[in-house]
Amino acid sequence: MARVLSVSGSPSATSRTARLLRHLDARLALHGHQVVPLDVRGLPAEALLGADLRHPAIARVVAEFERADGVVVGTPVYKAAYSGLLKSLLDLLPQYALTGRTVLPLATGGTSAHVLAIDYALRPVLSAMGAAHIVPGWFTLDSDLAVGADGALTVAPGAAEALAQVTDQFSAALGGRTTVLAATG
């Protein structure tokens, strides 16, 4: 199946965005995809902000984009736009780093007033970077994401259904299974 790079652009150590991405990563794995998680906040700040392409961590990230068949890009919405941390990563990548790749944009935020951030802020950048196909993304309200004491994420039923649908559409666009395999274990 496809190799999927799952990128969290959240600067928070307790990020709902990152937890949501890891939740969706598991669904993509059940579709048979190899998923590689990337939390941008874990990259060395000096190398990231200085666009040091020779730094080993940055070189590994650029290589992961080159190897990916598909990319999931998740971000919290701040001031009606994607995070500055995500922008820092996208800015250091080659101009056409997404050429030939299928992309799923996702965003989280505190109010539905930011629901269009995917279409007006993130999608144009992904398109300019050469994405072959940007599937319909999804905005999830923070209130639809609950983190338990054990760190487990619970997604409200309506949001969970919508997220499953966009994830399945992304998988299908990658040539993946159209149904999720039952988890074993």
Side-chain angles (χ1 to χ4, degrees):
M1 285 289 142
R3 182 179 179 94
V4 176
L5 182 61
S6 180
V7 181
S8 171
S10 177
S12 171
T14 58
S15 169
R16 286 187 180 107
T17 303
R19 290 176 198 270
L20 178 61
L21 284 168
R22 301 302 79 93
H23 175 79
L24 298 178
D25 292 352
R27 186 170 184 89
L28 289 168
L30 289 174
H31 276 277
H33 301 296
Q34 177 187 7
V35 181
V36 178
L38 170 63
D39 291 316
V40 181
R41 68 177 299 280
L43 295 174
E46 187 172 318
L48 180 64
L49 295 176
D52 182 358
L53 296 174
R54 294 177 298 170
H55 190 285
I58 301 302
R60 279 192 297 275
V61 167
V62 171
E64 284 298 342
F65 273 89
E66 290 171 357
R67 285 192 292 268
D69 300 302
V71 180
V72 178
V73 178
T75 181
V77 174
Y78 300 122
K79 312 267 191 239
Y82 56 93
S83 74
L85 184 64
L86 180 60
K87 180 172 181 6
S88 295
L89 174 66
L90 296 176
D91 284 351
L92 72 77
L93 293 173
Q95 181 175 356
Y96 297 108
L98 297 176
T99 297
R101 284 154 187 87
T102 300
V103 180
L104 170 59
L106 299 169
T108 61
T111 173
S112 60
H114 298 304
V115 74
L116 294 176
I118 290 175
D119 290 331
Y120 291 117
L122 189 55
R123 186 177 299 275
V125 173
L126 301 173
S127 180
M129 293 179 73
H133 180 51
I134 304 172
V135 299
W138 191 257
F139 176 88
T140 304
L141 287 168
D142 288 340
S143 60
D144 285 338
L145 304 171
V147 180
D150 62 353
L153 180 73
T154 302
V155 182
E161 287 176 31
L163 286 162
Q165 183 177 11
V166 297
T167 304
D168 293 353
Q169 288 172 349
F170 174 69
S171 179
L174 289 170
R177 296 183 185 105
T178 56
T179 57
V180 175
L181 297 176
T184 58

